[in-house]
Amino acid sequence: GQQVMQIPQYQHVQEGEDFTTYCNSSTTLSNIQWYKQRPGGHPVFLIQLVKSGEVKKQKRLTFQFGEAKKNSSLHITATQTTDVGTYFCAWGTYKYIFGTGTRLKVLA
Amino acid sequence: EAGVVQSPRYKIIEKKQPVAFWCNPISGHNTLYWYLQNLGQGPELLIRYENEEAVDDSQLPKDRFSAERLKGVDSTLKIQPAELGDSAVYLCASSPGAFSGRSDTQYFGPGTRLTVL
């Protein structure tokens, strides 16, 4: 069956450093969504990518969907303490499967 | 615009007791999801509704879990009887409805944290 791995599981960075999390699939994905969950909070939708090679930016966040639609990444430039949380990718159509998440800690 | 509302926020019960969670989705959203989230893991889908119809309940443990969405608006998720392993956060989410050609962006509620003793 379809397997999607999200890496790394944890990442500690110094404030101001960059951060990247990846979702890698064994099969082609129809689309991918990214969510952020703050500690003690609930997942909050960030973005959806649909097209091959798509790149979208939201301020310091850059989202990419691979050319083969088998991988995706979320990159944060110059992290801030407000970026702390767990970042999940989710894939599917109507029914979404969530990755295991990458927990980001930002050290001030 | 009001978000997804869930109640209660916290629930502590003893094993073998019943428990129910309530969700009020964003007004006008056709699709409603119930997820279970264990500590340190991503949400896992339990059931998805399109209006009042449960279109995907393959992950719902039907021997003890049940759900309903009367009139296609509010929804209730029930566990009877609860087991120790049911301790988790139960999240409700809604979306305008990709099934009907609208966006499938999911908006999550704050969740109900269940502790089974």
Side-chain angles (χ1 to χ4, degrees):
Chain A
Q2 185 176 68
Q3 292 187 357
V4 179
M5 292 191 61
Q6 189 169 354
I7 55 173
Q9 190 174 3
Y10 301 97
Q11 185 84 56
H12 295 185
V13 299
Q14 206 68 34
E15 189 174 21
E17 291 181 338
D18 293 355
F19 159 77
T20 305
T21 174
Y22 302 88
C23 269
N24 299 312
S25 171
S26 57
T27 58
T28 302
L29 303 173
S30 57
N31 65 77
I32 198 156
Q33 297 181 343
W34 285 94
Y35 291 79
K36 176 184 178 181
Q37 186 171 20
R38 293 182 185 273
H42 56 274
V44 175
F45 175 81
L46 294 175
I47 209 154
Q48 176 166 297
L49 304 173
V50 179
K51 300 177 182 176
S52 168
E54 190 168 14
V55 178
K56 289 188 177 180
K57 292 189 176 184
Q58 292 179 352
K59 297 182 180 178
R60 295 179 295 104
L61 276 60
T62 302
F63 304 84
Q64 292 190 338
F65 204 7
E67 291 289 342
K69 300 181 72 173
K70 289 186 175 181
N71 55 73
S72 180
S73 65
L74 158 58
H75 179 81
I76 303 178
T77 303
T79 55
Q80 300 175 0
T81 54
T82 53
D83 296 324
V84 165
T86 302
Y87 293 85
F88 293 100
C89 61
W91 60 93
T93 305
Y94 312 137
K95 171 182 178 177
Y96 281 84
I97 299 173
F98 282 74
T100 51
T102 296
R103 186 175 300 176
L104 172 64
K105 279 195 174 182
V106 180
L107 308 171
Chain B
E1 178 182 86
V4 176
V5 179
Q6 288 188 249
S7 69
R9 293 293 311 277
Y10 304 91
K11 189 74 176 178
I12 301 173
I13 60 172
E14 294 192 346
K15 63 181 180 180
K16 299 186 181 179
Q17 294 298 307
V19 65
F21 314 123
W22 176 80
C23 173
N24 180 240
I26 293 173
S27 177
H29 281 195
N30 297 330
T31 308
L32 185 145
Y33 310 79
W34 281 104
Y35 288 91
L36 176 156
Q37 186 174 30
N38 287 304
L39 190 64
Q41 298 183 23
E44 300 171 34
L45 182 68
L46 291 172
I47 190 167
R48 175 171 65 94
Y49 282 93
E50 293 293 337
N51 298 306
E52 67 275 4
E53 182 182 358
V55 295
D56 187 347
D57 62 357
S58 57
Q59 301 294 97
L60 191 71
K62 299 182 183 64
D63 57 336
R64 297 185 299 108
F65 286 65
S66 64
E68 60 182 11
R69 190 184 183 195
L70 299 177
K71 300 182 181 178
V73 182
D74 295 2
S75 177
T76 303
L77 177 69
K78 297 178 181 177
I79 308 175
Q80 183 171 9
E83 296 179 353
L84 294 176
D86 296 331
S87 294
V89 175
Y90 291 82
L91 294 163
C92 178
S94 71
S95 70
F99 209 68
S100 53
R102 301 166 68 195
S103 165
D104 58 352
T105 298
Q106 297 178 70
Y107 298 85
F108 283 83
T112 297
R113 183 176 297 276
L114 173 67
T115 302
V116 182
L117 302 176

